[in-house]
Amino acid sequence: MHQITVSIKNLKDLRGILSNDEVLTHSERSQSILAMVYTAYIDKSLLESISQIILGFSAKVTLVGATTTGEIDNGKTITRSTTITLLFLEATSVVPITIKSELGDEEEMAMSLRHQVLKISPKAVMLLTTPLSSDVSVLIQNFTKESFAFEVFGGGAGDYAHECTLLLSGTEVFTSGVVAICFIGSSFQLKKHTFVGWSPMSKEMTATRAQGNTLFTIDDKPAFDIYTKYLNIKDDSEFFANAIGFPLLTKTKGDYLAKVPVSVGSDGSLAFISSVREGETFRLGFFNPEIIKSNLQDIKSSLNAFTPEAIFLFTCGCRRFALADDIQLETQYLADIAPVSGFYTIGEFCDIQGEVPQMNLAFIAVGMKESITFKPHKALPERKKKISSDKFLTSHMTVVGRLLYFINVLNEELEQQAITDGLTHLYNRRHFDAIFSATIRIAKRHNKLLCFLMMDVDYFKQYNDYYGHQAGDKALIKVAHCLKKNAQRADDYCFRLGGEEFGVLYKAENKDHALSFANMLRKSIENMHIEHEKSEISSFITVSIGLACKETNTISNESDYYKEADDLLYQAKKSGRNRVKIN
Ligand SMILES: Nc1nc2c(ncn2[C@@H]2O[C@H](COP(=O)(O)OP(=O)(O)OP(=O)(O)O)[C@@H](O)[C@H]2O)c(=O)[nH]1
């Protein structure tokens, strides 16, 4: 395998390149040639002329191309240009599959693509898509819905004006569809890496209303609020450029995926280029040069050990805005391992543990080789300028990074304090109010019984009067500790609702289970044997419990549900204390 990339200014340049000795020699030796054209110009006739020349060069050529928001020429980021990459393959064949489409038939397009790809069993499939005129998330999700035994990677064609993108396949130039380049051959090998390089900084938030690529509400408030409230980003012509620095980060398979909002709707909704799921949680992220540096170093050592013969980069156009001139450091970083080509995308993707998320802001590096004979690792040449001492980590960025880190930690501490009761360290009443409605809403999606338990310490006034207020505090801490110790499942929540009153929210298979759990809590408290001489029903501290269990679809009103548990607690007290009353 051998890769040559050149930038051309005109068709004469292209003809010159195709007649140079290096190209002719590799062409002769090759079984197939993949020619890729990446161009900033949304110019159909330019692509058609390029196609005529390249296809006329050799019958071995498979020609594909895309418009871009930046091109990569031997690792160098260049803009407003046209690059031609020729990948000479000695033992691999390349089969292109081209599907043109209209908006809305992505599912059909995906099925047809899948059917055609499966027939030829490729090792890897590189996809070029048209994100401005088709829903790429739907295409990719359906294409990879069932298991697949090939690697997938690629990116969306770009356009500086975000108006129209073009794909090229053979002699065809079109605005909507997909081109799949299938690599077939037993000696073809590939290694992919991806990272984002933005770090989370805010509290976790939930997409409470979303459909398709539109996010309407975050934590039940208009989604745009988070950009105005926390970042002072306005809904003006600069919105996209400002929001790039602060995308929403979702955690997927241990790593963060970034989603950058592209525009704001009149209802305060945010539009993205990939879909947003209701219930999805995320944090606001910030651009973190330290993470980028360390990810690049990891990729470099992994790719160096793989000894690729060519590297393709699919890197999000947004990275160029955020990294500005430093972008060169990122794309050139791998160029001393193998020739690096590629382009800046609108949305990029690659398979991660069997799934292919549509990414944003990501950097994808794909190393390829054909040789199966052992090659010793190339010792990495010393870079004249080490990445750790370069512009990536100017003192300014380090300070900003650390300040953000500080804010983050502070944020977490404040958040924890705001929801915790100072005496018992259980969740406080305020957090109960937030969790109670959220639990009811989320539980509606499951079929379990939701249980709300209200608990009150018996004869606690007498306890305080006899043992003193401080001893009373200690007793409350012990009761709280006992609750926490016994209610440990991920969706058990214990609260101090106020004074000597506690609440537990939990789920159960049925009422019998719910009741025995409540009785277990009650007995555990009595079994702590906290002496209570003034109790009329026991020698130790005991509690009374009201327990309201509900099928979640029968809860129409939170306050009625709360009152039901409260009334049951009252009945437990009235009927003798140290007992559970269930509905
Ligand atoms: N030590 C201490 N006492 C508290 C705290 N909060 C509330 N209390 C006391 O808890 C007692 C609650 O008394 P009551 O509401 O009369 O109830 P009770 O004595 O437990 O009687 P029953 O609930 O009917 O069994 C009051 O004396 C409050 O002052 C606290 O944080 N620490």
Side-chain angles (χ1 to χ4, degrees), residues 423 456-462 464 469 472-473 476 496 499-500 573 577:
L423 180 72
D456 186 284
V457 181
D458 297 324
Y459 299 115
F460 198 58
K461 183 174 180 327
Q462 286 84 333
N464 265 334
H469 201 83
D473 281 357
L476 291 178
R496 184 179 182 207
E500 21 65 272
K573 290 274 180 192
R577 295 181 174 82

Side-chain angles (χ1 to χ4, degrees), residues 211-231:
Q211 193 178 21
N213 292 0
T214 308
L215 174 56
F216 293 96
T217 58
I218 295 174
D219 293 340
D220 292 323
K221 295 195 192 80
F224 173 57
D225 280 10
I226 60 163
Y227 282 94
T228 39
K229 183 178 166 195
Y230 293 113
L231 300 162

Side-chain angles (χ1 to χ4, degrees), residues 148-163:
F148 51 95
F150 43 82
E151 310 221 32
V152 183
F153 59 91
D159 167 27
Y160 285 82
H162 265 245
E163 281 167 5

